[in-house]
Amino acid sequence: MTFYPGQSLADAVREATAVLSDAGVPSPRVDAELLADHLLGVGLGRLRAMLLGDAPSPEGYGDLVQERAARVPLQHITGVAYFRHLELRVGPGVFIPRPETESVVQLVIDHVSGMANPKVVDLGTGSGAIAGSIAHEVPGAEVHAVEYSTFAHAWAARNLEPLGVSLVRGDLRDALPEHNGTFDVVVSNPPYIPSEAIPSEPEVALHDPPEALYGGGADGMELPTAAAASAARLLKPGGYFVMEHAEVQAQWIAGMLQRTGRWREITTHFDLNGKERATSAILASIAPDE
């Protein structure tokens, strides 16, 4: 199949859908429309109305379709990822935020509802999706974010500066020692994929940065364990910790938190697909050695 000058938008999108479907792209029709709208900038509603007429396809459309057919992430092509109410700037070097993480943000928002000026930190913020959403949706919140990767930090800075989030470049293992014991909430979506597990989706395996995927060690649990230890250090007594993880890791993470003796009300939470997506806990008032 080839795209040609003067081709109608409807024919081009139909052809693009077939190309993307043959390439194994999970949502070929939606991606074909989003690529067209990226060039036209009219919004999906207007675009779909244009598909009913004889509007011409935009110049360069075929090139973008071929790029997506090569399994370059749609968000890398358009430079934008949509997350809750935010339009985030993304590109090579930063983890593309996933829809399932939106439920983790909701857990934080529900917890701080009615709390005056909650102090929240996002450990391993990546693009800034979690921290930015909390800052946007919780008026009066004091939001901090930590990111280790130079590339991801640059993307996060672009996304978080307009939202008033305090962003630092640092390691989630030891970041923000000057804030020890002062946070109401610690939230984290740390890398958690085991070292030998290669993601099946080309968009993830070839384009998401490895440091945002692999959690360290054969079981991928080094960074999640470190995030929990940092949460215990950073939170006030009675503070709330919530961490995203793979559905198969829920039992292990709950057990890890239980064994430390620092946490109570350990709870597993499901995402909209019914998968065990996150675990939360409340920091006990007294450490076990006190």
Side-chain angles (χ1 to χ4, degrees), residues 156-175:
R158 185 174 180 183
N159 290 321
L160 295 179
E161 184 178 359
L163 297 168
V165 175
S166 176
L167 172 67
V168 300
R169 183 168 178 264
D171 193 318
L172 63 79
R173 296 176 179 90
D174 55 15

Side-chain angles (χ1 to χ4, degrees), residues 20-136:
L20 297 179
S21 179
D22 290 345
V25 171
S27 52
R29 175 69 182 195
V30 173
D31 283 21
E33 292 178 348
L34 288 170
L35 289 172
D37 184 55
H38 174 61
L39 294 173
L40 292 170
V42 295
L44 282 181
R46 173 61 182 156
L47 177 83
R48 287 166 180 162
M50 293 170 65
L51 291 172
L52 301 176
D54 56 1
S57 64
E59 184 178 352
Y61 181 60
D63 293 336
L64 297 190
V65 172
Q66 295 300 335
E67 196 172 357
R68 183 69 185 103
R71 304 303 290 272
V72 175
L74 176 71
Q75 297 89 343
H76 284 192
I77 299 171
T78 65
V80 174
Y82 295 97
F83 186 87
R84 290 181 69 93
H85 304 289
L86 299 180
E87 184 177 292
L88 301 165
R89 299 297 169 183
V90 295
V94 69
F95 182 79
I96 302 300
R98 308 298 199 255
E100 52 266 29
T101 303
E102 296 187 7
S103 63
V104 178
V105 174
Q106 192 62 50
L107 290 170
V108 175
I109 292 173
D110 290 345
H111 181 79
V112 302
S113 177
M115 188 182 297
N117 308 119
K119 185 176 179 181
V120 181
V121 62
D122 175 16
L123 299 179
T125 196
S127 66
I130 293 176
S133 292
I134 294 166
H136 180 68

Side-chain angles (χ1 to χ4, degrees), residues 11 17 21 45 52 64-65 67 111 116 187 205 217 235 248 253 274 283:
D11 286 345
T17 301
S21 179
L52 301 176
L64 297 190
V65 172
E67 196 172 357
H111 181 79
V187 57
L235 284 170
V248 297
I253 287 174
L283 184 67

